[in-house]
Amino acid sequence: MTSTWDALREKQAQVAGRSILSLFDDPARARKFSARTGDMLFDFAKTNIDDETLKLLSQLLETSGMAEKRAAMFAGQPINDTEGRAVLHTALRNLDGGPVQVDGADVMPGVLATLDRMRAFARLVRDSDVTDVVNIGIGGSDLGPAMAVAALSPYHDGPRCHFVSNVDGAHIADTLRGLNAKTTLVIVASKTFTTIETMTNARTARAWMTEHGGDPQVQFAALSTADELTAAFGIPPERVFGFEDWVGGRYSVWGPIGLSLMIAIGPKGFDAFLRGGQAMDRHFQAADWRENLPVLLALVGVWHAQVCGYSSRAVLPYDQRLSKLPDYLQQLEMESNGKSVQIDGDDVIGDSGPIVWGAAGTNGQHAFYQLIHQGTRVIPCEFLVAAEGHEAELAHHHNLLVANCLAQSEALMRGRSLNEARDKMVTAGFTGSELERQARHRVFAGNRPSVTLVYPKLDPFLLGQIIALYEHRVFVEGVILGINSYDQWGVELGKELATSLQPIVDGEAPADGKDSSTAQLVGYVIANRG
Ligand code: F6P
């Protein structure tokens, strides 16, 4: 363990009992422990981080070589070194940036040409009689576009978009039911074009279309890096939108995988989304660490997860249209940094990236906030909220939303002491031991950290900024942990075992060699299906 980690742990032990509220004795705290880029404000004042902690965290940043690694990423070096790949989703939003070299060749002409083809195709679809678009994909080929399409619904002026991901036949059956096969476009989104869930759903959609009078020859498009496989599936090259292996699945919404979003909001809206991402890239590359939102978000994350040992973090958008953001961030953060081995093969020091979960506020308040406020575990919370909503006529809803968001972070920090709870119980008429018992149930420990990201309004540019902010946060946290954030070997074993189990579940092979639990479960399924 390095001395900076030791110093941080020591610091944490010293300040663990300190009240976060007491830090606000410094009248400049809110200003000092916040940062802005463009119109966004990131406030991390309601954490137990002080100047000294921040200095130690910055030393961690320094020794991790973050600045050099960031330069290597943007320069197209193969930083995903277990797969020998560059990591260049940033090139997809490099609208007016310079050349980006991979293996000595500028990738930008290809990126811009594909973007132009996407724009032309999106215009064609939007001007046609297509009423519905079904995006079939999973993981990064689903979560990004599904989240972004939901987030930007006020900007939709194209066909309706639907997303099918689960291999559970219920998903595609429920989605296709009620659609007109003659006016539906199916987009098969799969980087590899081998993912079993996606290919199974794609074949089912193709059969449905044929059976109901549509023409898969002209009503299917593909988003993939695998030209031969898309051709073998029967999708002509003019409707295949390719990308390179230097775009990771969970980072792919910026390119062809974002086609459904482009069809929904139009090429101009999509450009604004890309420009938002690019603006965050520039900020991440240029801003000093003390003003740098992705860096600060990452340092707060490391402080909470690796130093304080809080095992999860909740993402709580007070923005209904961002209700899919927690799902999206689960893949982005957990598939990237849920690893126990460092790049050099050594064990990760301490814990890997935390469990990420959450839901839109205020809904979550009526579900799991009880545990966040009074449970035994501390769960750092990340609030997101817009200054204004799109529904001008419903501004009173929005003010209520904002008040709830800010009230939650304040309540988490302040808590309610036993004495305050007793006062309430006295007012309610309790006395003696019953007063004491009732009061204890109404105590909030408080001192629970949170950060808040505020922005003017959720528009395409802003969404681009938010997504790129979280992507770079993942990068910085990964660098500090010494992790390769861009592979995902942890998803392989389950896939392999599913392949070997399929003939057993089909009843075509015995469960020999399987543990008795697995054999029993398969036996139950076989015995109980119709
Ligand atoms: O779950 C593993 C994974 O490889 C993800 O990283 C990826 O987003 C998803 O599967 C889908 O992969 P593909 O786009 O190749 O179908």
Side-chain angles (χ1 to χ4, degrees):
M1 186 165 299
T2 69
S3 58
T4 309
W5 283 109
D6 285 340
L8 275 162
R9 298 237 154 88
E10 236 169 75
K11 173 77 188 180
Q12 198 270 330
Q14 278 164 23
V15 301
R18 174 175 71 184
S19 126
I20 297 174
L21 198 55
S22 71
L23 297 172
F24 285 84
D25 291 348
D26 174 2
R29 175 153 181 95
R31 184 182 48 74
K32 277 174 28 191
F33 291 84
S34 60
R36 291 170 195 251
T37 180
D39 294 332
M40 254 181 186
L41 167 64
F42 171 61
D43 181 317
F44 61 105
K46 292 191 186 88
T47 62
N48 202 352
I49 293 175
D50 58 22
D51 285 322
E52 196 193 3
T53 310
L54 211 46
K55 197 163 162 240
L56 288 169
L57 289 166
S58 77
Q59 283 170 19
L60 219 48
L61 191 70
E62 184 74 27
T63 47
S64 71
M66 195 284 292
E68 298 75 35
K69 289 177 181 151
R70 177 179 57 194
M73 176 172 75
F74 280 97
Q77 289 177 27
I79 62 165
N80 172 2
D81 73 346
T82 55
E83 296 182 299
R85 293 175 184 170
V87 173
L88 274 179
H89 46 280
T90 50
L92 301 176
R93 54 203 187 215
N94 180 35
L95 285 190
D96 40 22
V100 178
Q101 309 283 336
V102 176
D103 296 332
D106 181 11
V107 299
M108 285 316 298
V111 166
L112 297 176
T114 302
L115 185 57
D116 269 342
R117 287 185 56 232
M118 286 170 65
R119 289 180 182 127
F121 183 72
R123 284 193 195 102
L124 202 71
V125 173
R126 285 160 59 84
D127 291 343
S128 73
D129 60 0
V130 169
T131 55
D132 295 88
V133 173
V134 178
N135 184 89
I136 297 179
I138 196 164
S141 300
D142 165 75
L143 290 163
M147 176 274 298
V149 164
L152 298 176
S153 66
Y155 301 88
H156 287 197
D157 54 3
R160 289 179 292 265
C161 288
H162 313 266
F163 293 87
V164 175
S165 52
N166 202 329
V167 75
D168 183 341
H171 202 177
I172 192 143
D174 285 354
T175 306
L176 297 182
R177 190 177 305 122
L179 296 191
N180 181 346
K182 294 177 185 155
T183 60
T184 295
L185 170 73
V186 173
I187 297 177
V188 186
S190 176
K191 181 175 163 180
T192 55
F193 230 69
T194 57
T195 304
I196 189 79
E197 293 94 329
T198 300
M199 298 323 297
T200 304
N201 279 324
R203 283 189 286 270
T204 299
R206 188 171 56 184
W208 164 84
M209 189 174 276
T210 308
E211 197 184 320
H212 292 85
D215 185 356
Q217 292 296 318
V218 292
Q219 290 170 244
F220 264 62
L223 319 174
S224 182
T225 55
D227 292 349
E228 282 179 16
L229 297 179
T230 55
F233 191 86
I235 302 177
E238 64 271 20
R239 269 180 281 113
V240 176
F241 299 88
F243 53 107
E244 304 296 326
D245 68 2
W246 39 258
V247 179
R250 53 197 176 273
Y251 298 85
S252 60
V253 66
W254 310 97
I257 295 293
L259 183 63
S260 52
L261 175 66
M262 189 193 270
I263 292 172
I265 66 170
K268 262 176 116 176
F270 193 80
D271 274 10
F273 171 66
L274 297 183
R275 287 198 182 281
Q278 187 183 26
M280 187 56 73
D281 293 342
R282 289 184 170 152
H283 166 75
F284 177 48
Q285 287 176 284
D288 179 67
W289 74 269
R290 196 60 185 75
E291 302 297 325
N292 196 311
L293 263 66
V295 169
L296 292 170
L297 190 57
L299 295 184
V300 173
V302 167
W303 166 253
H304 286 150
Q306 280 74 32
V307 184
C308 300
Y310 304 144
S311 56
S312 82
R313 64 177 162 236
V315 181
L316 307 167
Y318 276 66
D319 200 322
Q320 177 60 24
R321 294 192 176 103
L322 285 180
S323 58
K324 290 178 188 285
L325 184 69
D327 292 2
Y328 172 78
L329 291 181
Q330 279 188 331
Q331 187 200 21
L332 181 65
E333 301 207 11
M334 292 161 74
E335 197 165 91
S336 297
N337 287 343
K339 291 159 191 171
S340 44
V341 174
Q342 294 184 318
I343 290 176
D344 59 11
D346 284 348
D347 289 345
V348 162
I349 298 171
D351 286 322
S352 62
I355 299 158
V356 178
W357 60 286
T362 60
N363 291 7
Q365 289 176 205
H366 300 271
F368 53 78
Y369 277 44
Q370 164 64 42
L371 180 142
I372 292 183
H373 283 287
Q374 285 191 317
T376 53
R377 296 177 190 84
V378 174
I379 298 165
C381 294
E382 301 188 354
F383 295 98
L384 295 97
V385 69
E388 78 174 324
H390 286 85
E391 289 66 30
E393 70 290 4
L394 299 176
H396 61 294
H397 282 246
H398 196 77
N399 289 346
L400 201 53
L401 182 75
V402 173
N404 270 276
C405 177
L406 303 186
Q408 290 300 327
S409 64
E410 194 185 350
L412 286 166
M413 175 173 69
R414 282 184 185 277
R416 183 195 283 149
S417 69
L418 185 56
N419 277 341
E420 287 168 325
R422 280 191 188 117
D423 288 347
K424 278 193 167 288
M425 292 303 94
V426 169
T427 311
F430 288 101
T431 55
S433 61
E434 186 56 6
L435 180 152
E436 207 56 27
R437 191 180 75 82
Q438 290 285 353
R440 287 210 65 207
H441 288 276
R442 287 156 175 84
V443 169
F444 290 65
N447 226 18
R448 305 206 160 185
S450 68
V451 300
T452 304
L453 185 72
V454 229
Y455 44 88
K457 194 176 191 171
L458 187 63
D459 63 18
F461 184 87
L462 204 287
L463 183 70
Q465 283 182 297
I466 292 179
I467 302 311
L469 164 66
Y470 277 97
E471 286 178 350
H472 293 318
R473 181 256 196 112
V474 165
F475 168 81
V476 177
E477 288 193 4
V479 167
I480 289 175
L481 298 181
I483 282 173
N484 173 6
S485 299
Y486 301 100
D487 58 14
Q488 56 284 314
W489 300 112
V491 302
E492 296 296 319
L493 181 58
K495 282 189 200 172
E496 279 169 28
L497 291 180
T499 306
S500 76
L501 262 165
Q502 197 176 343
I504 303 175
V505 175
D506 285 343
E508 288 164 5
D512 296 352
K514 292 291 172 192
D515 61 84
S516 62
S517 165
T518 305
Q520 171 174 263
L521 294 167
V522 171
Y524 176 90
V525 170
I526 292 175
N528 285 282
R529 63 189 169 202

